[in-house]
DNA sequence: CCCTGAATAT
DNA sequence: AATATTCAGG
């Protein structure tokens, strides 16, 4: 037996990382019980069974409204090469970047750090986004971090397209997120499908889980 | 060429 | 262990 893909020459790259890497404001995500926030993506799920809109009357107002995600405080440029997305009509629905983690070192997670009981009412979920790679181009494919907002957008796009039309390409096109590639969506789509399958038939399996996202989403 | 499934790497 | 990335196949 031959295993062709046994060894993979990994590019040891570590080229440059000079850019701004001085202060990295870590966002403290509080796993509070924001049921409202959680219900957000839950509401975007195809509760019923028929979610296959055979007719595509273009973008619906509901979707457009649902897509109205917080648009950060203009930290990024705004020149989009393509602007032919149906969603990118005139609403601030484009310019979404995903934060990424740098550092190659394997560092343990930081210890818990509780403030002095300061009120954290303001949620950071819809706050500022840290653009990681955008203009700067480096042979570094940072691990994509699917933020709840990004995931929500993804879910909305899938729900709109339907199970039969939810193709990575269409989703990417609808999301219109710069930096988001088809592979990224395809990968996530797989996970999303598995998640749906898992929740649909919890037979002989653990209890239903919300969504195995790396974010606070506990019910 | 595109989409889906599994394997692999971090 | 979980998630994203990548390879391979249909």
């Amino acid at each position: 037996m031959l295993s062709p893909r046994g060894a993979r020459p990994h590019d040891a790259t570590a080229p440059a990382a000079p850019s701004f890497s001085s202060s990295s404001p870590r966002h403290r995500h509080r796993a509070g019980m924001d049921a409202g926030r959680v219900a957000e993506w839950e509401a975007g799920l195809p509760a019923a069974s028929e979610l296959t809109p055979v007719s595509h009357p273009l973008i619906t107002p509901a979707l457009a409204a649902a897509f109205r995600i917080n648009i950060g405080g203009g930290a990024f440029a705004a020149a989009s090469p393509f602007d032919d997305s149906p969603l990118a009509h005139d609403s601030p629905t484009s310019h979404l970047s995903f934060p990424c983690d740098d550092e190659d070192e394997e560092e343990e997670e930081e210890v818990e750090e509780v403030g002095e009981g300061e009120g954290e009412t303001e949620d950071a979920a819809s706050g500022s986004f840290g653009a990681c790679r955008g203009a700067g181009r480096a042979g570094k494919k940072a691990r994509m971090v699917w933020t709840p907002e990004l995931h929500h957008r993804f879910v909305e796009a899938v729900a709109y397209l339907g199970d039969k039309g939810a193709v990575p390409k269409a989703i990417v096109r609808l999301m219109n997120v710069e930096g988001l590639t088809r592979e990224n969506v395809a990968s996530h789509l797989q996970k999303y499908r598995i998640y749906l399958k898992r929740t649909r038939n919890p037979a002989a399996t653990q209890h239903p889980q919300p969504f195995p996202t790396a974010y606070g989403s506990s019910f």
Side-chain angles (χ1 to χ4, degrees):
Chain A
M1 285 63 173
L2 272 172
S3 271
R5 19 188 168 41
R8 165 167 278 80
H10 217 278
D11 270 317
T13 114
S19 301
F20 18 77
S21 252
S22 293
S23 4
S24 278
R26 277 248 133 126
H27 296 144
R28 215 97 251 183
H29 267 201
R30 208 81 260 260
M33 44 276 178
D34 242 74
R37 201 81 58 185
V38 175
E40 230 173 288
W41 51 268
E42 217 168 34
L45 280 164
S49 16
E50 253 120 86
L51 49 77
T52 315
V54 186
S55 43
H56 282 202
L58 255 117
I59 299 305
T60 68
L63 183 67
F67 266 31
R68 205 184 80 101
I69 309 174
N70 170 321
I71 168 70
F76 223 34
S80 244
F82 337 103
D83 233 43
D84 60 324
S85 253
L87 283 180
H89 205 232
D90 61 332
S91 261
T93 323
S94 17
H95 315 326
L96 248 175
S97 21
F98 41 78
C100 74
D101 205 306
D102 258 48
E103 214 89 41
D104 268 309
E105 217 78 334
E106 234 117 281
E107 278 283 285
E108 266 298 316
E109 201 76 12
E110 262 135 66
V111 290
E112 203 103 11
E113 170 190 296
V114 183
E116 285 353 285
E118 201 55 30
E120 69 219 87
T121 20
E122 210 72 328
D123 175 47
S126 31
S128 34
F129 264 110
C132 170
R133 106 64 98 99
R137 147 313 193 152
K140 207 186 203 176
K141 62 224 150 140
R143 220 182 182 64
M144 157 141 344
V145 181
W146 279 88
T147 63
E149 277 72 30
L150 225 73
H151 177 69
H152 186 116
R153 204 164 167 147
F154 165 82
V155 172
E156 290 288 333
V158 173
Y160 173 68
L161 294 164
D163 285 358
K164 79 181 196 190
V167 294
K169 197 130 207 208
I171 295 163
V172 167
R173 203 175 157 83
L174 274 155
M175 285 175 83
N176 195 354
V177 177
E178 208 216 310
L180 188 66
T181 69
R182 183 167 55 73
E183 311 290 330
N184 278 133
V185 172
S187 245
H188 199 73
L189 180 66
Q190 224 188 16
K191 247 180 18 171
Y192 182 66
R193 282 180 175 180
I194 291 165
Y195 153 73
L196 289 172
K197 211 163 223 192
R198 215 147 160 110
T199 56
R200 223 204 128 191
N201 192 16
T205 3
Q206 274 134 19
H207 10 123
Q209 252 175 13
F211 191 78
T213 325
Y215 278 84
S217 351
S218 41
F219 177 56

